[in-house]
Amino acid sequence: LAYSANGKPITHVRTMFEDSFSRIWFGSSNGLFYLDRSKRFKELKRDGNALNVLSLSEHKNSLFVLISGKKIFQFNALTLEFETEVLIKNLEQIELLWKFLQDKKGRLYLQGSNRILKFTNEEGINQFSTLLHIKDVPELKKFQTFFPISAEHLILGDDKLVIWEAGNKKIFTQE
């Protein structure tokens, strides 16, 4: 069991991540912690509150933190200062967002149960907007598995494997 510098136990770890500054991050239901260069755990908070973390990712000098499956906080990766809450366009009431993924070119995606979202900066606003909705792939009940190869080539799965290539689907089953 690991403890933060203030003695708080780090439990229920959901995600681990190493950033470009060699810090090891641990996202858990009871906070966001990182191991600094002196091998001590420190906690990153927002407005003095612990964060319920599902996923982490670093993208263009920012640390993205998925909170409770409904919010995304963006921190400066160098200073660890809070920058903004990232807009999630058309968030559905029952939708749960799960994890961040990046393709080979470093484009950032967010996987949810009903949608695959892509990170963009439109008119100076950082946001995640729908790239693909489950309605576009009726062969799947939900997006259980997602892997981005590029913006045009996605691998999706639940009980079937779907390769999405620029709007065209190839469906594979166990038959």
Side-chain angles (χ1 to χ4, degrees):
L1 187 62
Y3 293 89
S4 67
N6 65 0
K8 184 176 184 178
I10 302 171
T11 60
H12 301 100
V13 173
R14 296 179 176 135
T15 184
M16 292 184 288
F17 170 77
E18 182 175 4
D19 69 16
S20 60
F21 300 98
S22 299
R23 291 178 292 227
I24 307 294
W25 291 89
F26 301 87
S28 75
S29 60
N30 68 336
L32 176 59
F33 304 90
Y34 66 95
L35 194 58
D36 68 10
R37 291 177 190 248
S38 65
K39 304 294 182 214
R40 297 187 70 181
F41 282 99
K42 296 188 177 176
E43 185 174 10
L44 186 62
K45 295 182 176 185
R46 168 79 176 111
D47 294 332
N49 297 314
L51 305 173
N52 180 3
V53 179
L54 290 181
S55 186
L56 302 166
S57 188
E58 184 178 14
H59 181 69
K60 296 184 180 180
N61 300 318
S62 289
L63 179 67
F64 289 85
V65 183
L66 177 59
I67 308 298
S68 301
K70 297 286 184 185
K71 292 183 179 182
I72 299 170
F73 291 160
Q74 182 178 346
F75 292 87
N76 181 296
L78 176 63
T79 66
L80 302 181
E81 296 292 322
F82 175 78
E83 291 180 338
T84 188
E85 184 173 335
V86 179
L87 175 66
I88 304 170
K89 292 183 85 172
N90 303 316
L91 184 63
E92 298 169 7
Q93 186 66 25
I94 59 168
E95 184 174 18
L96 181 62
L97 303 171
W98 292 335
K99 64 182 174 181
F100 294 109
L101 294 142
Q102 292 192 33
D103 67 17
K104 293 178 184 179
K105 293 194 176 183
R107 289 178 287 240
L108 186 60
Y109 301 89
L110 180 59
Q111 177 185 351
S113 54
N114 298 332
R115 296 187 293 163
I116 305 298
L117 300 101
K118 184 177 179 185
F119 178 73
T120 59
N121 183 300
E122 294 179 20
E123 300 176 10
I125 299 172
N126 288 344
Q127 59 189 337
F128 281 89
S129 54
T130 302
L131 176 65
L132 188 63
H133 197 283
I134 194 67
K135 293 175 193 170
D136 301 324
V137 191
E139 297 83 3
L140 298 177
K141 296 175 190 139
K142 61 183 175 182
F143 293 131
Q144 185 67 35
T145 303
F146 166 64
F147 184 77
I149 297 172
S150 70
E152 294 80 32
H153 297 83
L154 310 173
I155 297 176
L156 311 159
D158 183 18
D159 55 340
K160 299 174 184 77
L161 177 67
V162 176
I163 298 177
W164 184 272
E165 295 179 303
N168 298 311
K169 297 181 277 188
K170 293 181 183 176
I171 302 168
F172 300 90
T173 63
Q174 293 182 339
E175 298 172 359

